[in-house]
Short mmCIF file of all heavy atoms in Angstrom, two decimals:
data_model
loop_
_atom_site.label_atom_id
_atom_site.label_comp_id
_atom_site.label_asym_id
_atom_site.label_seq_id
_atom_site.Cartn_x
_atom_site.Cartn_y
_atom_site.Cartn_z
N SER B 184 -14.35 2.67 4.04
CA SER B 184 -15.72 3.14 4.14
C SER B 184 -16.16 3.86 2.86
O SER B 184 -15.35 4.47 2.17
CB SER B 184 -15.84 4.10 5.33
OG SER B 184 -17.10 4.74 5.34
N THR B 185 -17.45 3.79 2.57
CA THR B 185 -18.00 4.53 1.44
C THR B 185 -18.61 5.85 1.89
O THR B 185 -19.27 6.52 1.10
CB THR B 185 -19.07 3.70 0.70
OG1 THR B 185 -20.09 3.34 1.65
CG2 THR B 185 -18.48 2.46 0.10
N ASN B 186 -18.42 6.20 3.16
CA ASN B 186 -19.01 7.44 3.67
C ASN B 186 -18.04 8.60 3.71
O ASN B 186 -18.43 9.72 3.99
CB ASN B 186 -19.55 7.20 5.10
CG ASN B 186 -20.71 6.22 5.12
OD1 ASN B 186 -21.56 6.27 4.25
ND2 ASN B 186 -20.73 5.34 6.11
N GLU B 187 -16.76 8.33 3.45
CA GLU B 187 -15.77 9.39 3.55
C GLU B 187 -15.76 10.28 2.31
O GLU B 187 -16.09 9.83 1.21
CB GLU B 187 -14.37 8.79 3.75
CG GLU B 187 -14.20 8.00 5.03
CD GLU B 187 -14.27 8.87 6.27
OE1 GLU B 187 -14.25 10.11 6.14
OE2 GLU B 187 -14.35 8.30 7.37
N ILE B 188 -15.37 11.53 2.51
CA ILE B 188 -15.20 12.44 1.39
C ILE B 188 -13.85 13.14 1.52
O ILE B 188 -13.28 13.24 2.60
CB ILE B 188 -16.31 13.51 1.31
CG1 ILE B 188 -16.24 14.46 2.53
CG2 ILE B 188 -17.68 12.89 1.16
CD1 ILE B 188 -17.07 15.71 2.37
N GLY B 189 -13.34 13.59 0.37
CA GLY B 189 -12.16 14.43 0.35
C GLY B 189 -12.53 15.76 -0.28
O GLY B 189 -13.33 15.80 -1.22
N VAL B 190 -11.99 16.84 0.23
CA VAL B 190 -12.33 18.18 -0.26
C VAL B 190 -11.09 18.82 -0.85
O VAL B 190 -10.01 18.81 -0.22
CB VAL B 190 -12.92 19.05 0.87
CG1 VAL B 190 -13.33 20.42 0.32
CG2 VAL B 190 -14.11 18.36 1.52
N PHE B 191 -11.24 19.39 -2.05
CA PHE B 191 -10.14 20.03 -2.75
C PHE B 191 -10.56 21.41 -3.22
O PHE B 191 -11.74 21.69 -3.43
CB PHE B 191 -9.71 19.21 -3.98
CG PHE B 191 -9.23 17.82 -3.67
CD1 PHE B 191 -10.12 16.77 -3.55
CD2 PHE B 191 -7.88 17.56 -3.51
CE1 PHE B 191 -9.69 15.48 -3.28
CE2 PHE B 191 -7.43 16.27 -3.24
CZ PHE B 191 -8.34 15.23 -3.12
N ASP B 192 -9.57 22.25 -3.40
CA ASP B 192 -9.78 23.58 -3.97
C ASP B 192 -9.05 23.64 -5.31
O ASP B 192 -7.83 23.42 -5.36
CB ASP B 192 -9.25 24.65 -3.01
CG ASP B 192 -9.57 26.06 -3.48
OD1 ASP B 192 -10.36 26.21 -4.43
OD2 ASP B 192 -9.02 27.02 -2.89
N MET B 193 -9.80 23.88 -6.38
CA MET B 193 -9.21 23.95 -7.70
C MET B 193 -8.60 25.34 -7.92
O MET B 193 -9.31 26.35 -7.91
CB MET B 193 -10.25 23.65 -8.78
CG MET B 193 -9.74 23.83 -10.20
SD MET B 193 -8.43 22.68 -10.63
CE MET B 193 -9.41 21.27 -11.14
N THR B 194 -7.30 25.38 -8.09
CA THR B 194 -6.60 26.64 -8.31
C THR B 194 -5.83 26.58 -9.63
O THR B 194 -5.81 25.54 -10.30
CB THR B 194 -5.60 26.92 -7.16
OG1 THR B 194 -4.52 25.99 -7.25
CG2 THR B 194 -6.29 26.76 -5.80
N SER B 195 -5.19 27.67 -9.97
CA SER B 195 -4.39 27.70 -11.20
C SER B 195 -3.17 26.80 -11.10
O SER B 195 -2.56 26.46 -12.11
CB SER B 195 -3.94 29.14 -11.50
OG SER B 195 -3.16 29.64 -10.42
N ARG B 196 -2.83 26.38 -9.89
CA ARG B 196 -1.69 25.49 -9.68
C ARG B 196 -2.13 24.07 -9.39
O ARG B 196 -1.35 23.26 -8.88
CB ARG B 196 -0.82 26.01 -8.53
CG ARG B 196 -0.29 27.41 -8.75
CD ARG B 196 0.66 27.48 -9.92
NE ARG B 196 1.91 26.80 -9.66
CZ ARG B 196 2.88 26.66 -10.55
NH1 ARG B 196 2.72 27.13 -11.78
NH2 ARG B 196 4.00 26.03 -10.24
N GLY B 197 -3.39 23.76 -9.68
CA GLY B 197 -3.88 22.41 -9.47
C GLY B 197 -4.82 22.30 -8.29
O GLY B 197 -5.31 23.30 -7.76
N LEU B 198 -5.07 21.07 -7.88
CA LEU B 198 -5.98 20.80 -6.77
C LEU B 198 -5.22 20.84 -5.45
O LEU B 198 -4.23 20.14 -5.28
CB LEU B 198 -6.64 19.43 -6.95
CG LEU B 198 -7.71 19.37 -8.06
CD1 LEU B 198 -7.92 17.93 -8.49
CD2 LEU B 198 -9.00 19.99 -7.60
N ILE B 199 -5.70 21.67 -4.54
CA ILE B 199 -5.09 21.80 -3.23
C ILE B 199 -6.01 21.16 -2.20
O ILE B 199 -7.22 21.42 -2.18
CB ILE B 199 -4.84 23.28 -2.88
CG1 ILE B 199 -3.87 23.90 -3.88
CG2 ILE B 199 -4.31 23.41 -1.46
CD1 ILE B 199 -3.65 25.38 -3.67
N GLU B 200 -5.45 20.31 -1.35
CA GLU B 200 -6.26 19.66 -0.33
C GLU B 200 -6.77 20.68 0.69
O GLU B 200 -6.04 21.56 1.13
CB GLU B 200 -5.43 18.60 0.40
CG GLU B 200 -4.99 17.47 -0.52
CD GLU B 200 -4.06 16.49 0.19
OE1 GLU B 200 -3.55 16.87 1.26
OE2 GLU B 200 -3.87 15.38 -0.33
N VAL B 201 -8.04 20.53 1.05
CA VAL B 201 -8.65 21.38 2.07
C VAL B 201 -8.77 20.54 3.34
O VAL B 201 -9.64 19.68 3.45
CB VAL B 201 -10.04 21.89 1.63
CG1 VAL B 201 -10.66 22.74 2.73
CG2 VAL B 201 -9.92 22.69 0.34
N THR B 202 -7.87 20.77 4.27
CA THR B 202 -7.84 19.95 5.48
C THR B 202 -8.83 20.43 6.54
O THR B 202 -9.16 19.69 7.46
CB THR B 202 -6.42 19.94 6.09
OG1 THR B 202 -6.02 21.30 6.34
CG2 THR B 202 -5.43 19.29 5.14
N ASN B 203 -9.31 21.67 6.41
CA ASN B 203 -10.30 22.20 7.35
C ASN B 203 -11.47 22.78 6.56
O ASN B 203 -11.64 24.00 6.48
CB ASN B 203 -9.68 23.28 8.24
CG ASN B 203 -10.58 23.68 9.40
OD1 ASN B 203 -11.72 23.21 9.49
ND2 ASN B 203 -10.09 24.53 10.27
N PRO B 204 -12.29 21.91 5.94
CA PRO B 204 -13.35 22.40 5.05
C PRO B 204 -14.39 23.25 5.73
O PRO B 204 -14.97 24.15 5.11
CB PRO B 204 -13.95 21.11 4.48
CG PRO B 204 -13.56 20.03 5.43
CD PRO B 204 -12.24 20.45 6.01
N SER B 205 -14.68 23.00 7.01
CA SER B 205 -15.69 23.80 7.71
C SER B 205 -15.33 25.28 7.70
O SER B 205 -16.15 26.14 7.39
CB SER B 205 -15.85 23.33 9.16
OG SER B 205 -16.38 22.03 9.22
N GLU B 206 -14.07 25.56 8.03
CA GLU B 206 -13.62 26.94 8.07
C GLU B 206 -13.68 27.59 6.69
O GLU B 206 -14.07 28.76 6.55
CB GLU B 206 -12.19 27.00 8.62
CG GLU B 206 -11.68 28.39 8.88
CD GLU B 206 -10.33 28.39 9.58
OE1 GLU B 206 -9.84 27.30 9.93
OE2 GLU B 206 -9.77 29.48 9.77
N VAL B 207 -13.34 26.83 5.67
CA VAL B 207 -13.36 27.36 4.31
C VAL B 207 -14.79 27.63 3.85
O VAL B 207 -15.10 28.68 3.28
CB VAL B 207 -12.66 26.38 3.35
CG1 VAL B 207 -12.85 26.83 1.91
CG2 VAL B 207 -11.18 26.28 3.68
N LEU B 208 -15.70 26.68 4.12
CA LEU B 208 -17.08 26.82 3.66
C LEU B 208 -17.81 27.97 4.34
O LEU B 208 -18.76 28.52 3.79
CB LEU B 208 -17.84 25.51 3.89
CG LEU B 208 -17.41 24.33 3.02
CD1 LEU B 208 -18.09 23.05 3.49
CD2 LEU B 208 -17.73 24.59 1.56
N LEU B 209 -17.35 28.34 5.53
CA LEU B 209 -18.00 29.43 6.26
C LEU B 209 -17.27 30.76 6.12
O LEU B 209 -17.71 31.76 6.68
CB LEU B 209 -18.10 29.08 7.75
CG LEU B 209 -18.97 27.87 8.13
CD1 LEU B 209 -19.03 27.72 9.64
CD2 LEU B 209 -20.38 28.02 7.56
N SER B 210 -16.17 30.76 5.37
CA SER B 210 -15.34 31.96 5.30
C SER B 210 -16.06 33.15 4.67
O SER B 210 -15.77 34.30 5.00
CB SER B 210 -14.05 31.67 4.51
OG SER B 210 -14.36 31.25 3.19
N ASN B 211 -17.02 32.89 3.77
CA ASN B 211 -17.72 33.99 3.09
C ASN B 211 -19.18 34.10 3.52
O ASN B 211 -20.00 34.68 2.81
CB ASN B 211 -17.66 33.80 1.57
CG ASN B 211 -16.24 33.89 1.04
OD1 ASN B 211 -15.47 34.74 1.46
ND2 ASN B 211 -15.88 33.00 0.12
N ARG B 212 -19.52 33.54 4.67
CA ARG B 212 -20.93 33.52 5.06
C ARG B 212 -21.44 34.91 5.40
O ARG B 212 -20.69 35.80 5.81
CB ARG B 212 -21.15 32.58 6.24
CG ARG B 212 -20.57 33.03 7.57
CD ARG B 212 -20.77 31.92 8.59
NE ARG B 212 -20.17 32.21 9.87
CZ ARG B 212 -20.86 32.45 10.97
NH1 ARG B 212 -22.18 32.43 10.92
NH2 ARG B 212 -20.26 32.69 12.11
N SER B 213 -22.73 35.07 5.21
CA SER B 213 -23.38 36.34 5.47
C SER B 213 -23.70 36.47 6.96
O SER B 213 -24.27 35.56 7.56
CB SER B 213 -24.68 36.44 4.66
OG SER B 213 -24.44 36.25 3.29
#
Side-chain angles (χ1 to χ4, degrees):
S184 171
T185 57
N186 294 320
E187 297 293 349
I188 66 166
V190 183
F191 299 86
D192 186 10
M193 175 64 85
T194 70
S195 60
R196 301 295 291 176
L198 287 160
I199 298 176
E200 296 175 344
V201 179
T202 56
N203 191 355
S205 294
E206 188 173 356
V207 172
L208 291 172
L209 296 183
S210 60
N211 295 319
R212 70 185 176 112
S213 304

